[in-house]
Amino acid sequence: MIHAQKSKARLFFTYLKDKTELFLYVKPHGTSGSEMTYRRAPGDAAMNLRIQAILDHAKVHSSDIEIWILLYPPEIYTSTMYIPSRASNSEVKALIHEQIFSTLSYPINYDWEKYHLTVRENGHNENMVTVTILGKDVLPRIQELLDDNFDRVRFIGDGLQFLNIESTFFQQLRGQTYKMILPYDEMYYTAAFRSGLHVDSSVLTHACSSSFGNYELNHQQVYLDIRQKKNLIHQPGIQPVVPCVEWQSAHLTSAAFPTWFIARNSLHQDEKVNFVRQSSETEERREKKRSIKKLEAIHLLD
């Protein structure tokens, strides 16, 4: 569920175990254009101080932001199965355990009671079932790091779903299955899409090499991988998708490129797999905070 909020800024928080990134996007207002700030930091107890420092620098109040948490494999896992449309819920669950559990190196690290299912008709009495599942320790750790700021979280999910570029390359990709490659530090992430629908996320260690066959990949780029398509004549199988001018105009450090690209794409994509749920427990916490603040205000007036 996506929660609408009239926020002035969106803080993207990338979480990868011991490493975190903060990317603040301040929305355009009046005659002022958008502003962007990037910081890379260890995931420790000083996280909220770093967040406040970024907000202070951008002159944005903490109550005017929404937080989006971007996760990449292995912190989150996305895969797709094709199963008979007549399968019952219990049969679907059994197939998930049978077909997806068996492909993971460390299934014990995932919370198999909390996963997101997206079911779409595939024709011929078959459904395309996409499963997205969180690492077992991800949410508790993020809650610990963000503390009171966790109340402002509006999105938690697979950041690689925002590598979808079908709207940009509509003529070439319409109805096609394609992959995207995202270089990130020493890692290479891939996301697969079918007719613009995100169906898979994975990580390639690739021996820390930037060479993919005949292709040398620049880390300040994202790549469309159409090598699986046939009859490609006079067309490279791996193609960069970001005009250099656009990236250079952002005036950010080179390490910010992956988050910048994903953050920018997320602003224009409506369908999102999101693990945020506004529970009654969250509302109770907010009401409690508001009542405490009121009591403090009354005390000061006495």
Side-chain angles (χ1 to χ4, degrees):
M1 180 178 179
I2 306 297
H3 303 281
Q5 179 174 318
K6 294 181 179 178
S7 59
K8 294 182 180 178
R10 182 177 290 177
L11 179 67
F12 294 89
F13 178 82
T14 305
Y15 173 77
L16 278 169
K17 283 193 172 65
D18 57 339
K19 179 178 65 180
T20 59
E21 291 178 322
L22 297 171
F23 182 87
L24 180 68
Y25 174 83
V26 182
K27 300 175 181 178
H29 59 281
T31 57
S32 300
S34 61
E35 297 178 28
M36 293 167 285
T37 307
Y38 171 83
R39 295 285 185 275
R40 177 173 284 192
D44 57 23
M47 182 55 62
N48 290 284
L49 295 176
R50 295 190 185 97
I51 291 175
Q52 192 58 52
I54 283 183
L55 297 181
D56 290 345
H57 181 266
K59 296 180 175 59
V60 175
H61 194 272
S62 59
S63 61
D64 292 330
I65 69 166
E66 61 181 22
I67 298 177
W68 279 39
I69 297 172
L70 304 176
L71 302 170
Y72 302 152
E75 313 303 334
I76 196 167
Y77 182 82
T78 300
S79 185
T80 296
M81 308 181 304
Y82 297 89
I83 63 176
S85 56
R86 64 179 182 277
S88 65
N89 290 339
S90 58
E91 288 173 329
V92 170
K93 188 171 184 179
L95 285 169
I96 290 172
H97 281 254
E98 176 186 325
Q99 296 185 24
I100 296 183
F101 271 31
S102 60
T103 64
L104 293 175
S105 302
Y106 303 100
I108 195 173
N109 291 335
Y110 294 88
D111 188 345
W112 292 102
E113 298 304 318
K114 295 179 182 178
Y115 52 81
H116 188 286
L117 285 184
T118 304
V119 182
R120 300 180 177 91
E121 290 186 15
N122 193 47
H124 306 290
N125 297 316
E126 184 183 60
N127 284 340
M128 184 173 76
V129 180
T130 301
V131 184
T132 302
I133 185 165
L134 286 172
K136 187 182 296 182
D137 300 323
V138 170
L139 276 182
R141 182 59 179 150
I142 289 173
Q143 285 178 304
E144 181 183 16
L145 286 174
L146 294 184
D147 196 29
D148 288 346
N149 279 313
F150 193 76
D151 286 343
R152 299 184 180 87
V153 172
R154 296 292 175 267
F155 172 85
I156 301 173
D158 190 336
L160 299 183
Q161 67 184 294
F162 300 116
L163 293 180
N164 183 10
I165 58 165
E166 187 173 60
S167 61
T168 310
F169 295 86
F170 184 71
Q171 295 298 326
Q172 301 94 319
L173 300 177
R174 182 175 58 180
Q176 299 293 329
T177 297
Y178 63 93
K179 287 185 178 181
M180 301 296 297
I181 302 175
L182 176 72
Y184 185 83
D185 285 350
E186 297 84 18
M187 311 294 280
Y188 289 85
Y189 292 98
T190 64
F193 297 87
R194 178 182 170 184
S195 300
L197 303 174
H198 178 228
V199 295
D200 181 79
S201 290
S202 58
V203 60
L204 303 172
T205 55
H206 206 65
C208 300
S209 170
S210 60
S211 177
F212 279 67
N214 296 327
Y215 301 96
E216 195 75 19
L217 271 56
N218 173 10
H219 276 71
Q220 293 177 54
Q221 254 299 352
V222 177
Y223 296 88
L224 169 62
D225 182 357
I226 51 176
R227 289 175 295 175
Q228 67 273 22
K229 291 180 65 175
K230 297 180 180 179
N231 302 322
L232 287 176
I233 302 175
H234 308 304
Q235 191 174 8
I238 296 180
Q239 303 176 24
V241 300
V242 181
C244 292
V245 175
E246 290 186 30
W247 164 236
Q248 289 169 358
S249 65
H251 301 295
L252 295 168
T253 179
S254 58
F257 179 84
T259 306
W260 169 82
F261 182 84
I262 286 175
R264 189 183 66 162
N265 276 13
S266 74
L267 299 173
H268 309 292
Q269 295 184 23
D270 295 327
E271 186 176 356
K272 307 173 182 73
V273 175
N274 186 1
F275 280 86
V276 169
R277 295 292 182 270
Q278 288 291 72
S279 64
S280 57
E281 181 182 348
T282 303
E283 291 301 325
E284 287 173 7
R285 284 177 60 193
R286 288 182 178 175
E287 285 298 326
K288 187 176 180 181
K289 285 180 185 178
R290 280 194 284 263
S291 63
I292 290 173
K293 287 181 179 179
K294 286 179 182 178
L295 288 172
E296 288 175 346
I298 292 171
H299 175 73
L300 290 172
L301 289 173
D302 290 341

